Amino acid sequence: MKKYTSTFLMFCFFVTTLVHAQKTVSGVKLDAKLTIEGQELYFNGAGVREKMWMDLYVGSLYLDKKSKNAKEIVNSKNAVAIRLDVISSMVTSKKMVDALDEGLIKSTKNNIAPIKDKVAKFKSLFSDEIKVGDKFILVYVPEKGVVFYKNGEKKGVIEGYDFKKALFGIWLGDNPADEGLKEGLLGS
């Protein structure tokens, strides 16, 4: 009887672990852990980027340890990743680049000149068509820079901690692209 009870308890633990291993936001399943570029990062939070009452993409944040402090995350030199899952056909390459321009200007308080070449390189990574279901992962790797993935394929690297701060400031800065998304990323 003890053998069956312990087997049953192990089964319940395994099923409970699987249920909590993923979170679903707006139909997008998000993993509890992301291992990329040799970094193990853990789900911190997620939300939906909205514009004019339209859901555009699900953003999720992965850190080496949970945090609700946006300023610390933006200024940290530790690995961090943001995942963007496109859920609307309204998201196009041109609109994404325009949104990045606007977000980086806000994030840098209109002081984009020191990173303009990095910004141009980054925007060029969005030149391919964007479709519903596309998944972008932007992971900051210390001493390397921001590594850009589209649908699991590595597309490029943008060097520099200065670019990382500006990029993550789009979603986590004082004037974020979407306040509700920022709250979601911070697990609020």
Side-chain angles (χ1 to χ4, degrees), residues 15-16 28 39 43 116 160 162 166 173:
V15 169
T16 302
V28 176
Q39 309 295 313
F43 179 79
K116 71 177 179 145
D162 55 349

Side-chain angles (χ1 to χ4, degrees), residues 23-53:
K23 178 177 174 105
T24 301
V25 175
S26 206
V28 176
K29 289 184 179 166
L30 303 168
D31 298 319
K33 182 171 95 172
L34 184 66
T35 303
I36 191 162
E37 291 292 315
Q39 309 295 313
E40 268 193 13
L41 301 170
Y42 302 91
F43 179 79
N44 193 73
V48 178
R49 170 66 168 113
E50 297 176 347
K51 193 158 189 169
M52 295 173 36
W53 305 283

Side-chain angles (χ1 to χ4, degrees), residues 7-32:
T7 302
F8 177 74
L9 288 174
M10 288 296 285
F11 174 77
C12 288
F13 174 75
F14 180 71
V15 169
T16 302
T17 302
L18 282 177
V19 168
H20 294 292
Q22 288 187 333
K23 178 177 174 105
T24 301
V25 175
S26 206
V28 176
K29 289 184 179 166
L30 303 168
D31 298 319

